């Protein structure tokens, strides 16, 4: 739905009245097997019982079975297919959907020796969605949204959300915030459902809603709690906002130590405004070399305000120290995160 190409403020000017910001929707490639959000299998690895020793799994109605398995990833789907022959037969459409999903991702991103082709990607996703896969529903919805076909996207998100897909619930919630008229009540409902399920982007977006309060009652304590939850889950923007909460005592007890901790974690994971703030903090502490590294990184990411401070510090360093600091910035790599 929303990609990293969307320009959104994450740190206001010093004169701005509000310090916290929104963020884009889930990126499509976050939904592949790489995703850190595990979908726990509902099935035991213990040997199955004979018909005389326990319940007959094959008696479960197929429509219920397919609804339960609709949001499964491929490993869990295979595990469910091994329970018994009737389940294997019932879940065949979802296994076919997984193949279509993989083809769709190859076409969308130009991988696996094929050229990028959004039409073929969308066709594969829609075929997978028709077979009941919520993963395919969400990916098809993302393409529709990017094309401005919001009603089609929301319809797919609604189906995925109703079947328990966390990404579908998150994207549906954010969709309600970006259509006219906005529906804040439904947005918070679905974001909360996904957040409780452990979706870090939903946790962050829910925190923003509760913090800013458009259409819902502001609740700084709940907002800060969800910021912190998402930060602990590895979401960089939440780390940054959690640091601000600790800095200004908004929703969390004022704690310079916790503020520094979360600001550094955000900076080390590539958050440009956190890098700027981290550089300023190190400068004030007399850590000139480290300050230059963070300020240089912030400058390279477009934080123009960091340039002036960096140049002031560089004038105080020897030529060797300047070269060393810039070399460290060249070699710097962001730590892993869920973004």
């Amino acid at each position: 739905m929303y990609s990293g190409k969307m320009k959104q403020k994450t740190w206001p000017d010093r004169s701005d009245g509000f310090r916290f910001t929104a963020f884009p929707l889930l990126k499509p490639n976050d939904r592949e097997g790489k995703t850190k959000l595990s979908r726990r299998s509902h099935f035991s690895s213990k040997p199955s019982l004979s018909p005389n020793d326990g319940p007959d799994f094959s008696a479960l109605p197929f429509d219920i079975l397919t609804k339960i398995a609709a949001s499964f990833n491929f490993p869990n789907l295979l595990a469910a297919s091994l329970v018994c022959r009737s389940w294997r037969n019932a879940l065949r459409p979802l296994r076919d959907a997984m193949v279509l999903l993989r083809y769709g991702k190859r076409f969308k991103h130009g991988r696996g020796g094929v050229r990028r082709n959004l039409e073929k990607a969308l066709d594969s996703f829609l075929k997978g969605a028709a077979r009941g896969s919520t993963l395919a529903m969400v990916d098809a919805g993302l393409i529709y949204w990017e094309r401005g076909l919001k009603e089609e996207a929301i319809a797919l998100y609604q189906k995925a959300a109703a079947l328990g897909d966390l990404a579908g619930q998150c994207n549906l919630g954010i969709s309600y915030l970006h259509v006219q008229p906005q529906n804040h009540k439904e947005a918070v409902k679905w974001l909360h459902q996904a957040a409780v399920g452990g979706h870090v982007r939903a946790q962050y977006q829910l925190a923003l809603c509760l913090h800013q309060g458009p259409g819902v009652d502001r609740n700084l304590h709940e907002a800060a709690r969800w910021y912190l939850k998402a930060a602990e889950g590895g979401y960089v923007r939440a780390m940054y906002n959690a640091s601000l909460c600790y800095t200004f005592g908004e929703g969390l007890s004022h704690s310079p130590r916790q503020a520094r901790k979360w600001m550094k974690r955000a900076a080390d994971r590539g958050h440009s405004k956190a890098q700027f703030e981290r550089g300023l903090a190190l400068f004030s502490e007399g850590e000139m070399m480290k300050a230059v590294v963070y300020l240089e990184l912030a400058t390279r990411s477009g934080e123009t305000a960091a340039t002036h401070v960096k140049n002031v510090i560089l004038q105080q360093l020897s030529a060797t120290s300047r070269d060393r600091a810039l070399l460290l910035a060249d070699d710097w790599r962001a730590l892993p995160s869920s973004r």
Side-chain angles (χ1 to χ4, degrees), residues 27-297:
K27 292 183 179 179
N29 60 2
D30 289 338
R31 297 194 45 76
E32 266 187 294
K34 301 176 184 176
T35 179
K36 296 180 180 178
L37 293 172
S38 63
R39 298 178 184 274
R40 298 170 60 185
S41 173
H42 295 268
F43 307 98
S44 171
S45 59
K46 296 179 181 179
S48 59
L49 301 174
S50 68
N52 295 327
D53 293 333
D56 181 7
F57 289 114
S58 63
L60 185 67
F62 286 176
D63 60 334
I64 296 178
L65 173 62
T66 53
K67 287 180 180 179
I68 293 173
S71 60
F72 281 8
N73 59 18
F74 194 59
N76 285 347
L77 188 59
L78 288 181
S81 299
L82 294 175
V83 171
C84 62
R85 179 179 299 177
S86 62
W87 280 31
R88 184 169 65 251
N89 293 337
L91 295 175
R92 180 173 296 161
L94 285 175
R95 294 197 301 275
D96 293 342
M98 286 295 171
V99 175
L100 291 163
L101 182 68
R102 289 182 176 181
Y103 275 120
K105 289 184 180 297
R106 288 173 63 186
F107 282 120
K108 182 167 186 179
H109 303 292
R111 298 171 181 167
V114 301
R115 292 184 178 180
R116 189 168 185 266
N117 189 319
L118 287 181
E119 289 297 333
K120 289 185 177 180
L122 179 59
D123 181 65
S124 294
F125 291 147
L126 289 175
K127 287 178 178 177
R131 287 163 172 76
S133 170
T134 62
L135 283 70
M137 294 174 194
V138 171
D139 278 318
L142 289 168
I143 293 181
Y144 274 138
W145 188 274
E146 290 167 357
R147 292 182 171 184
L149 301 174
K150 296 183 178 181
E151 290 185 4
E152 289 83 348
I154 289 175
L156 286 165
Y157 293 149
Q158 287 172 334
K159 290 181 181 179
L163 290 168
D165 188 279
L166 297 180
Q169 293 169 355
C170 178
N171 283 12
L172 180 60
I174 297 176
S175 297
Y176 284 130
L177 297 174
H178 291 269
V179 295
Q180 295 299 328
Q182 294 177 316
N183 190 332
H184 294 95
K185 182 178 179 180
E186 282 295 298
V188 169
K189 165 190 166 183
W190 288 109
L191 289 171
H192 185 270
Q193 193 162 326
V196 170
H199 196 285
V200 292
R201 287 177 173 80
Q203 291 168 351
Y204 174 73
Q205 189 66 42
L206 177 62
L208 286 172
C209 289
L210 294 171
H211 199 158
Q212 297 173 352
V216 296
D217 294 333
R218 291 187 67 196
N219 188 325
L220 294 182
H221 289 288
E222 276 296 291
R225 183 174 75 87
W226 285 114
Y227 281 140
L228 196 56
K229 188 77 172 175
E232 291 168 346
Y235 198 70
V236 177
R237 294 177 180 87
M239 295 177 189
Y240 178 70
N241 280 12
S243 175
L244 296 181
C245 287
Y246 279 119
T247 297
F248 300 106
E250 294 190 12
L252 294 170
S253 298
H254 175 66
S255 173
R257 184 178 66 84
Q258 288 294 324
R260 284 194 301 271
K261 179 184 83 170
W262 286 112
M263 191 65 75
K264 183 179 185 302
R265 290 187 179 184
D268 289 342
R269 286 158 180 79
H271 195 290
S272 62
K273 292 170 177 57
Q275 290 169 341
F276 179 34
E277 292 297 315
R278 177 66 178 160
L280 291 176
L282 289 167
F283 177 41
S284 67
E285 295 167 6
E287 295 281 353
M288 301 301 185
M289 282 276 290
K290 292 181 180 179
V292 168
V293 174
Y294 281 104
L295 292 169
E296 174 64 17
L297 293 172

